[in-house]
Amino acid sequence: MRVALVHECIVGFHGSERVLAALAALYPEAPIFTILHDESVLRGTPLEGRDLRGSVLHKVPGARRRHRLLLPLMPYAVEQHDLRGYDVVISSHHAVAHGVLTRADQLHLAYTHSPARYAWDLYHEHVDPRRRAPIKRAALHRFRGWDQRAAQRVDHFFANSRHVARRIARAYRRSAEVVHPPVALGRFADASAPPERRARYVTLGRHVPYKRTHVAVEAFARSGRPLTVVGDGPDHGRLRGIAKRHPNADVRFVCDADEAAVVAELRAAKALVFAGEEDFGITLVEALAAGTPVVAWDRGGAREIVQPGVSGVLFESSTPEGIEHAIGGFETSGVSGSPDTLAAAAERFSADRFADTMRRRVAELWDRFAEYGPPTA
Protein backbone atom coordinates (compact mmCIF):
# COMPACT_ATOMS: atom_id res chain seq x y z
CA MET A 1 0.00 0.00 0.00
CA ARG A 2 1.82 3.08 -1.29
CA VAL A 3 0.69 6.16 0.63
CA ALA A 4 0.97 9.89 -0.11
CA LEU A 5 0.08 12.65 2.35
CA VAL A 6 -1.30 16.05 1.37
CA HIS A 7 -1.36 19.13 3.58
CA GLU A 8 -1.97 22.80 2.99
CA CYS A 9 0.48 25.51 4.09
CA ILE A 10 3.10 24.65 6.69
CA VAL A 11 4.08 28.06 8.03
CA GLY A 12 3.85 27.12 11.71
CA PHE A 13 3.65 23.99 13.82
CA HIS A 14 0.18 24.00 15.33
CA GLY A 15 -2.68 21.55 15.78
CA SER A 16 -3.10 20.48 12.14
CA GLU A 17 0.65 20.05 11.72
CA ARG A 18 0.74 17.83 14.81
CA VAL A 19 -1.92 15.64 13.21
CA LEU A 20 0.11 15.58 9.99
CA ALA A 21 3.20 14.55 11.98
CA ALA A 22 1.23 11.71 13.57
CA LEU A 23 0.07 10.51 10.15
CA ALA A 24 3.59 10.83 8.79
CA ALA A 25 4.89 8.66 11.64
CA LEU A 26 2.44 5.92 10.57
CA TYR A 27 3.75 6.04 7.00
CA PRO A 28 7.45 6.95 7.18
CA GLU A 29 8.02 6.43 3.43
CA ALA A 30 5.13 8.64 2.36
CA PRO A 31 5.99 11.96 0.69
CA ILE A 32 4.14 15.04 1.92
CA PHE A 33 2.64 17.29 -0.73
CA THR A 34 1.96 20.89 0.35
CA ILE A 35 0.72 24.14 -1.14
CA LEU A 36 3.84 25.69 0.37
CA HIS A 37 6.00 25.12 3.41
CA ASP A 38 8.66 26.86 5.45
CA GLU A 39 11.29 24.32 6.40
CA SER A 40 12.68 26.65 9.07
CA VAL A 41 9.56 26.14 11.22
CA LEU A 42 10.00 22.36 11.01
CA ARG A 43 13.40 22.30 12.68
CA GLY A 44 13.22 20.20 15.81
CA THR A 45 9.76 18.83 14.91
CA PRO A 46 8.88 15.28 13.81
CA LEU A 47 8.51 16.57 10.24
CA GLU A 48 12.12 17.73 9.96
CA GLY A 49 13.89 15.85 7.17
CA ARG A 50 10.73 14.44 5.59
CA ASP A 51 10.19 14.44 1.83
CA LEU A 52 8.14 17.63 1.36
CA ARG A 53 6.99 18.60 -2.13
CA GLY A 54 5.60 22.10 -2.61
CA SER A 55 3.06 23.14 -5.24
CA VAL A 56 3.50 25.71 -7.99
CA LEU A 57 2.90 28.41 -5.33
CA HIS A 58 5.81 27.26 -3.17
CA LYS A 59 8.32 29.33 -5.16
CA VAL A 60 6.26 32.54 -5.26
CA PRO A 61 8.35 35.27 -3.57
CA GLY A 62 6.94 36.20 -0.17
CA ALA A 63 4.32 33.44 -0.30
CA ARG A 64 5.15 32.10 3.15
CA ARG A 65 4.51 35.48 4.79
CA ARG A 66 1.33 36.25 2.85
CA HIS A 67 -0.05 32.82 2.09
CA ARG A 68 -3.63 33.83 2.97
CA LEU A 69 -3.67 36.19 0.00
CA LEU A 70 -3.07 33.22 -2.29
CA LEU A 71 -6.37 31.50 -1.42
CA PRO A 72 -7.94 32.20 -4.84
CA LEU A 73 -5.03 30.34 -6.47
CA MET A 74 -4.87 27.41 -4.04
CA PRO A 75 -7.58 25.28 -5.73
CA TYR A 76 -5.58 25.41 -8.96
CA ALA A 77 -2.33 24.69 -7.11
CA VAL A 78 -3.60 21.65 -5.19
CA GLU A 79 -4.96 20.12 -8.39
CA GLN A 80 -1.46 20.18 -9.91
CA HIS A 81 -0.03 17.68 -7.41
CA ASP A 82 1.01 14.59 -9.36
CA LEU A 83 -0.11 11.67 -7.21
CA ARG A 84 0.34 8.91 -9.76
CA GLY A 85 2.06 5.90 -8.29
CA TYR A 86 0.24 5.91 -4.95
CA ASP A 87 -2.54 3.63 -3.81
CA VAL A 88 -3.85 5.70 -0.89
CA VAL A 89 -3.90 9.48 -0.62
CA ILE A 90 -4.54 10.93 2.85
CA SER A 91 -5.24 14.66 2.89
CA SER A 92 -4.97 16.76 6.05
CA HIS A 93 -7.60 19.34 5.26
CA HIS A 94 -8.82 22.69 6.57
CA ALA A 95 -8.86 24.62 3.28
CA VAL A 96 -8.02 22.96 -0.04
CA ALA A 97 -6.00 19.75 0.52
CA HIS A 98 -9.07 17.60 -0.13
CA GLY A 99 -9.18 18.98 -3.68
CA VAL A 100 -6.34 16.85 -5.08
CA LEU A 101 -7.07 14.91 -8.24
CA THR A 102 -6.96 11.12 -7.92
CA ARG A 103 -7.68 8.26 -10.30
CA ALA A 104 -10.46 5.71 -9.99
CA ASP A 105 -7.99 3.11 -8.69
CA GLN A 106 -6.75 5.38 -5.89
CA LEU A 107 -8.37 5.70 -2.47
CA HIS A 108 -8.63 9.27 -1.15
CA LEU A 109 -9.19 9.70 2.60
CA ALA A 110 -9.60 13.22 3.98
CA TYR A 111 -8.83 13.92 7.63
CA THR A 112 -10.74 17.17 8.08
CA HIS A 113 -9.89 19.69 10.78
CA SER A 114 -12.79 21.80 9.47
CA PRO A 115 -14.20 23.01 6.18
CA ALA A 116 -12.65 26.45 5.66
CA ARG A 117 -14.29 28.41 8.46
CA TYR A 118 -13.76 31.83 6.86
CA ALA A 119 -15.75 30.68 3.82
CA TRP A 120 -18.53 28.87 5.67
CA ASP A 121 -19.33 29.23 9.39
CA LEU A 122 -17.34 32.43 9.98
CA TYR A 123 -18.04 34.10 6.64
CA HIS A 124 -20.00 37.00 8.13
CA GLU A 125 -17.36 37.52 10.82
CA HIS A 126 -14.57 37.37 8.26
CA VAL A 127 -16.19 39.80 5.81
CA ASP A 128 -16.86 43.07 7.63
CA PRO A 129 -20.60 43.80 7.16
CA ARG A 130 -19.83 47.54 7.33
CA ARG A 131 -17.80 47.29 4.12
CA ARG A 132 -19.00 46.21 0.72
CA ALA A 133 -15.72 44.38 -0.18
CA PRO A 134 -17.16 43.05 -3.45
CA ILE A 135 -13.93 41.36 -4.59
CA LYS A 136 -13.48 39.50 -1.31
CA ARG A 137 -17.12 38.44 -1.22
CA ALA A 138 -17.00 37.24 -4.83
CA ALA A 139 -13.77 35.32 -4.23
CA LEU A 140 -15.22 33.48 -1.23
CA HIS A 141 -18.45 32.79 -3.11
CA ARG A 142 -16.45 31.21 -5.90
CA PHE A 143 -14.30 29.30 -3.41
CA ARG A 144 -17.36 27.76 -1.73
CA GLY A 145 -18.53 26.37 -5.05
CA TRP A 146 -15.16 24.77 -5.77
CA ASP A 147 -14.87 23.54 -2.17
CA GLN A 148 -18.19 21.70 -2.32
CA ARG A 149 -17.40 20.13 -5.70
CA ALA A 150 -13.96 19.05 -4.51
CA ALA A 151 -15.50 17.32 -1.49
CA GLN A 152 -17.40 14.97 -3.80
CA ARG A 153 -14.06 13.57 -5.01
CA VAL A 154 -13.17 12.27 -1.53
CA ASP A 155 -13.88 8.58 -0.88
CA HIS A 156 -14.09 8.79 2.93
CA PHE A 157 -14.04 11.66 5.42
CA PHE A 158 -12.59 11.59 8.90
CA ALA A 159 -13.53 14.47 11.22
CA ASN A 160 -11.61 15.54 14.31
CA SER A 161 -14.85 15.94 16.33
CA ARG A 162 -18.59 15.47 16.11
CA HIS A 163 -18.80 19.25 15.80
CA VAL A 164 -16.71 19.19 12.61
CA ALA A 165 -18.64 16.17 11.31
CA ARG A 166 -21.77 18.32 11.48
CA ARG A 167 -19.98 21.06 9.55
CA ILE A 168 -18.95 18.56 6.88
CA ALA A 169 -22.54 17.40 6.58
CA ARG A 170 -23.75 21.00 6.29
CA ALA A 171 -21.16 22.23 3.79
CA TYR A 172 -20.54 19.10 1.73
CA ARG A 173 -23.59 16.87 2.33
CA ARG A 174 -21.17 14.07 3.25
CA SER A 175 -20.95 11.90 6.33
CA ALA A 176 -17.72 11.68 8.33
CA GLU A 177 -16.19 9.23 10.76
CA VAL A 178 -14.99 10.91 13.97
CA VAL A 179 -11.40 10.22 15.02
CA HIS A 180 -10.22 12.67 17.64
CA PRO A 181 -6.77 14.19 17.00
CA PRO A 182 -3.70 13.00 18.92
CA VAL A 183 -2.68 14.86 22.06
CA ALA A 184 0.83 14.42 23.48
CA LEU A 185 -0.06 13.42 27.02
CA GLY A 186 3.38 12.20 28.05
CA ARG A 187 4.37 15.70 29.15
CA PHE A 188 1.79 15.44 31.92
CA ALA A 189 2.70 11.97 33.13
CA ASP A 190 3.17 13.10 36.74
CA ALA A 191 -0.10 15.04 36.85
CA SER A 192 -1.53 12.56 39.34
CA ALA A 193 0.65 14.17 42.00
CA PRO A 194 0.14 17.87 41.21
CA PRO A 195 1.81 20.71 43.05
CA GLU A 196 -0.23 22.78 45.44
CA ARG A 197 -2.80 24.61 43.35
CA ARG A 198 -2.38 28.33 43.22
CA ALA A 199 -5.33 30.70 43.26
CA ARG A 200 -4.64 31.83 39.69
CA TYR A 201 -6.65 30.85 36.66
CA VAL A 202 -4.97 30.46 33.27
CA THR A 203 -6.01 30.97 29.67
CA LEU A 204 -3.82 29.65 26.89
CA GLY A 205 -3.65 30.05 23.11
CA ARG A 206 -2.74 32.31 20.22
CA HIS A 207 -3.95 35.88 20.65
CA VAL A 208 -6.31 36.12 17.70
CA PRO A 209 -9.88 37.46 17.79
CA TYR A 210 -11.76 34.19 17.27
CA LYS A 211 -10.17 32.69 20.40
CA ARG A 212 -12.09 35.37 22.35
CA THR A 213 -9.34 35.74 24.92
CA HIS A 214 -10.34 39.39 25.17
CA VAL A 215 -13.64 38.30 26.74
CA ALA A 216 -11.85 36.31 29.45
CA VAL A 217 -9.42 39.16 30.15
CA GLU A 218 -12.31 41.62 30.46
CA ALA A 219 -14.17 39.33 32.87
CA PHE A 220 -11.17 38.78 35.14
CA ALA A 221 -9.93 42.37 34.96
CA ARG A 222 -13.34 43.64 36.08
CA SER A 223 -13.68 41.17 38.93
CA GLY A 224 -10.09 41.44 40.15
CA ARG A 225 -9.67 37.65 40.11
CA PRO A 226 -6.13 36.54 39.22
CA LEU A 227 -5.59 35.38 35.62
CA THR A 228 -2.43 34.33 33.77
CA VAL A 229 -2.61 34.80 29.99
CA VAL A 230 -0.17 32.52 28.16
CA GLY A 231 0.52 33.12 24.47
CA ASP A 232 1.09 35.84 21.91
CA GLY A 233 -0.30 37.04 18.62
CA PRO A 234 -1.78 40.02 16.77
CA ASP A 235 -4.43 40.62 19.47
CA HIS A 236 -1.86 40.86 22.27
CA GLY A 237 -1.80 44.66 22.47
CA ARG A 238 -5.57 44.75 22.70
CA LEU A 239 -5.51 42.32 25.64
CA ARG A 240 -2.98 44.39 27.56
CA GLY A 241 -5.07 47.49 26.90
CA ILE A 242 -8.17 45.83 28.38
CA ALA A 243 -6.27 44.89 31.53
CA LYS A 244 -4.85 48.41 31.95
CA ARG A 245 -8.33 49.95 31.91
CA HIS A 246 -9.16 48.29 35.23
CA PRO A 247 -7.12 49.52 38.21
CA ASN A 248 -7.86 46.43 40.32
CA ALA A 249 -6.96 43.95 37.56
CA ASP A 250 -4.63 41.08 38.43
CA VAL A 251 -3.79 39.87 34.92
CA ARG A 252 -0.31 38.51 34.21
CA PHE A 253 0.97 37.94 30.66
CA VAL A 254 3.45 35.20 29.68
CA CYS A 255 4.39 35.64 26.03
CA ASP A 256 7.40 33.40 25.52
CA ALA A 257 6.47 30.18 27.34
CA ASP A 258 8.16 27.03 26.09
CA GLU A 259 6.53 23.62 26.44
CA ALA A 260 7.89 23.08 29.95
CA ALA A 261 6.52 26.46 31.07
CA VAL A 262 3.11 25.72 29.56
CA VAL A 263 2.98 22.40 31.42
CA ALA A 264 3.94 24.14 34.66
CA GLU A 265 1.27 26.83 34.23
CA LEU A 266 -1.45 24.27 33.52
CA ARG A 267 -0.51 21.99 36.39
CA ALA A 268 -0.45 24.83 38.89
CA ALA A 269 -3.61 26.63 37.76
CA LYS A 270 -6.90 26.58 39.61
CA ALA A 271 -8.65 26.04 36.27
CA LEU A 272 -8.18 26.66 32.57
CA VAL A 273 -10.56 29.28 31.17
CA PHE A 274 -11.41 29.11 27.48
CA ALA A 275 -13.86 31.56 25.92
CA GLY A 276 -13.59 30.60 22.23
CA GLU A 277 -15.21 27.99 20.01
CA GLU A 278 -12.74 25.36 18.83
CA ASP A 279 -13.23 22.65 16.22
CA PHE A 280 -11.79 20.26 18.80
CA GLY A 281 -9.74 21.90 21.57
CA ILE A 282 -6.35 20.30 22.24
CA THR A 283 -5.60 22.83 25.00
CA LEU A 284 -8.64 21.63 26.94
CA VAL A 285 -7.40 18.04 26.79
CA GLU A 286 -3.94 19.15 27.92
CA ALA A 287 -5.47 20.86 30.96
CA LEU A 288 -7.29 17.65 31.92
CA ALA A 289 -4.07 15.68 31.43
CA ALA A 290 -2.46 18.07 33.91
CA GLY A 291 -5.24 17.30 36.40
CA THR A 292 -6.69 20.80 35.98
CA PRO A 293 -10.44 21.51 35.58
CA VAL A 294 -11.73 23.42 32.56
CA VAL A 295 -14.16 26.35 32.41
CA ALA A 296 -15.13 26.68 28.74
CA TRP A 297 -17.78 28.01 26.37
CA ASP A 298 -20.46 25.42 25.68
CA ARG A 299 -19.69 25.29 21.97
CA GLY A 300 -17.66 23.18 19.55
CA GLY A 301 -15.32 20.47 20.72
CA ALA A 302 -15.57 21.49 24.38
CA ARG A 303 -18.82 19.52 24.58
CA GLU A 304 -16.93 16.34 23.69
CA ILE A 305 -14.08 16.94 26.14
CA VAL A 306 -15.56 18.48 29.31
CA GLN A 307 -17.96 16.55 31.54
CA PRO A 308 -19.88 19.26 33.43
CA GLY A 309 -19.60 18.94 37.18
CA VAL A 310 -16.92 16.26 36.92
CA SER A 311 -14.07 17.74 34.89
CA GLY A 312 -15.22 21.30 34.49
CA VAL A 313 -17.92 23.88 33.82
CA LEU A 314 -19.49 24.85 30.50
CA PHE A 315 -21.00 28.34 30.22
CA GLU A 316 -23.70 29.35 27.76
CA SER A 317 -22.69 32.93 26.95
CA SER A 318 -19.17 33.91 25.92
CA THR A 319 -19.42 37.34 27.49
CA PRO A 320 -17.68 38.84 30.53
CA GLU A 321 -20.89 38.38 32.51
CA GLY A 322 -21.23 34.76 31.37
CA ILE A 323 -17.66 33.96 32.40
CA GLU A 324 -17.99 35.72 35.76
CA HIS A 325 -21.14 33.72 36.47
CA ALA A 326 -19.42 30.45 35.51
CA ILE A 327 -16.38 31.20 37.67
CA GLY A 328 -18.64 32.05 40.59
CA GLY A 329 -20.41 28.70 40.22
CA PHE A 330 -17.08 26.88 39.90
CA GLU A 331 -15.72 28.48 43.05
CA THR A 332 -18.89 27.61 44.93
CA SER A 333 -19.35 24.01 43.79
CA GLY A 334 -16.03 22.95 42.24
CA VAL A 335 -15.86 19.64 40.37
CA SER A 336 -16.19 16.09 41.62
CA GLY A 337 -13.31 14.71 39.60
CA SER A 338 -9.92 14.34 41.25
CA PRO A 339 -6.70 15.16 39.34
CA ASP A 340 -6.35 11.42 38.68
CA THR A 341 -9.89 11.27 37.27
CA LEU A 342 -9.26 14.24 35.00
CA ALA A 343 -5.96 12.81 33.74
CA ALA A 344 -7.68 9.48 33.02
CA ALA A 345 -10.40 11.27 31.03
CA ALA A 346 -7.72 12.80 28.81
CA GLU A 347 -6.50 9.33 27.80
CA ARG A 348 -9.43 9.11 25.37
CA PHE A 349 -7.46 11.50 23.16
CA SER A 350 -3.98 9.99 23.39
CA ALA A 351 -1.58 9.84 20.47
CA ASP A 352 -1.45 6.04 20.77
CA ARG A 353 -5.20 5.75 20.41
CA PHE A 354 -5.15 8.01 17.34
CA ALA A 355 -2.34 5.98 15.75
CA ASP A 356 -3.99 2.63 16.42
CA THR A 357 -7.36 3.82 15.08
CA MET A 358 -6.01 5.43 11.93
CA ARG A 359 -3.67 2.56 11.09
CA ARG A 360 -6.52 0.08 11.42
CA ARG A 361 -9.14 2.13 9.58
CA VAL A 362 -6.87 3.04 6.65
CA ALA A 363 -5.99 -0.65 6.18
CA GLU A 364 -9.66 -1.69 6.41
CA LEU A 365 -10.80 0.97 3.95
CA TRP A 366 -8.03 0.09 1.51
CA ASP A 367 -8.86 -3.64 1.67
CA ARG A 368 -12.52 -2.90 1.01
CA PHE A 369 -11.67 -0.46 -1.78
CA ALA A 370 -9.27 -2.91 -3.44
CA GLU A 371 -11.95 -5.61 -3.42
CA TYR A 372 -15.07 -3.65 -4.27
CA GLY A 373 -13.85 -0.37 -5.75
CA PRO A 374 -15.04 3.12 -4.86
CA PRO A 375 -18.39 3.61 -3.12
CA THR A 376 -21.35 4.04 -5.42
CA ALA A 377 -23.14 6.65 -3.25
Side-chain angles (χ1 to χ4, degrees):
M1 187 175 66
R2 297 160 297 178
V3 177
L5 302 174
V6 184
H7 192 68
E8 277 123 5
C9 301
I10 305 179
V11 293
F13 196 75
H14 306 297
S16 64
E17 285 76 30
R18 293 182 189 278
V19 172
L20 175 64
L23 292 170
L26 293 177
Y27 307 102
E29 302 301 320
I32 301 171
F33 293 82
T34 71
I35 297 294
L36 56 88
H37 55 270
D38 185 347
E39 296 199 9
S40 67
V41 307
L42 300 180
R43 293 178 190 141
T45 76
L47 293 176
E48 184 178 13
R50 289 298 296 254
D51 178 9
L52 281 89
R53 306 180 187 183
S55 74
V56 294
L57 297 181
H58 181 65
K59 296 181 180 179
V60 173
R64 292 157 187 76
R65 296 190 306 273
R66 300 182 177 180
H67 62 279
R68 291 181 179 85
L69 298 178
L70 298 176
L71 179 66
L73 300 176
M74 287 184 184
Y76 167 81
V78 79
E79 290 178 351
Q80 307 314 307
H81 288 318
D82 185 356
L83 299 172
R84 292 175 295 178
Y86 303 100
D87 300 310
V88 178
V89 175
I90 304 175
S91 57
S92 168
H93 157 232
H94 55 72
V96 300
H98 66 308
V100 292
L101 301 179
T102 55
R103 299 192 312 266
D105 60 347
Q106 293 174 300
L107 175 65
H108 180 188
L109 310 175
Y111 188 92
T112 302
H113 310 283
S114 177
R117 296 180 68 181
Y118 43 81
W120 295 96
D121 291 67
L122 297 183
Y123 171 73
H124 292 290
E125 287 87 343
H126 188 70
V127 178
D128 189 340
R130 296 168 297 182
R131 301 176 60 186
R132 296 185 62 186
I135 296 176
K136 190 173 188 178
R137 292 175 184 274
L140 289 174
H141 173 76
R142 182 176 183 180
F143 176 83
R144 281 192 296 274
W146 174 87
D147 190 22
Q148 193 171 57
R149 292 191 300 274
Q152 309 316 306
R153 302 199 286 256
V154 175
D155 293 305
H156 186 86
F157 276 98
F158 294 102
N160 68 358
S161 66
R162 294 193 299 270
H163 181 61
V164 167
R166 287 192 290 269
R167 283 193 189 149
I168 291 170
R170 172 67 67 181
Y172 302 152
R173 295 296 189 263
R174 297 290 305 275
S175 62
E177 177 181 353
V178 175
V179 178
H180 293 120
V183 183
L185 302 179
R187 296 178 296 160
F188 306 95
D190 59 348
S192 58
E196 182 180 350
R197 298 283 175 187
R198 296 201 302 264
R200 302 192 72 84
Y201 293 85
V202 65
T203 186
L204 172 66
R206 291 189 65 234
H207 296 169
V208 290
Y210 89 90
K211 297 277 189 180
R212 300 184 65 79
T213 308
H214 61 283
V215 180
V217 172
E218 178 70 35
F220 277 81
R222 289 195 324 198
S223 69
R225 289 188 175 98
L227 176 70
T228 298
V229 181
V230 181
D232 205 348
D235 227 21
H236 182 73
R238 177 189 182 191
L239 301 182
R240 285 189 177 273
I242 292 172
K244 288 180 179 178
R245 289 202 301 267
H246 299 274
N248 296 324
D250 184 4
V251 179
R252 180 170 69 96
F253 290 90
V254 180
C255 303
D256 54 355
D258 58 15
E259 283 201 359
V262 169
V263 170
E265 291 288 352
L266 283 175
R267 293 192 64 229
K270 190 170 185 177
L272 171 76
V273 179
F274 199 85
E277 176 185 342
E278 286 285 18
D279 303 324
F280 175 64
I282 287 177
T283 301
L284 280 62
V285 176
E286 291 177 334
L288 297 184
T292 299
V294 173
V295 180
W297 192 14
D298 188 14
R299 297 282 291 273
R303 294 175 172 176
E304 299 169 50
I305 297 169
V306 180
Q307 186 178 356
V310 177
S311 59
V313 174
L314 295 176
F315 52 87
E316 295 183 2
S317 174
S318 184
T319 61
E321 295 77 15
I323 292 177
E324 287 186 56
H325 180 74
I327 293 296
F330 172 74
E331 292 184 345
T332 299
S333 304
V335 295
S336 63
S338 66
D340 282 342
T341 302
L342 272 55
E347 289 294 332
R348 294 180 294 148
F349 311 106
S350 70
D352 287 344
R353 177 166 292 192
F354 173 86
D356 291 345
T357 301
M358 289 302 295
R359 184 187 295 110
R360 173 177 55 82
R361 289 298 291 137
V362 170
E364 289 172 349
L365 289 165
W366 168 246
D367 287 344
R368 188 171 69 188
F369 180 86
E371 183 173 359
Y372 298 108
T376 57

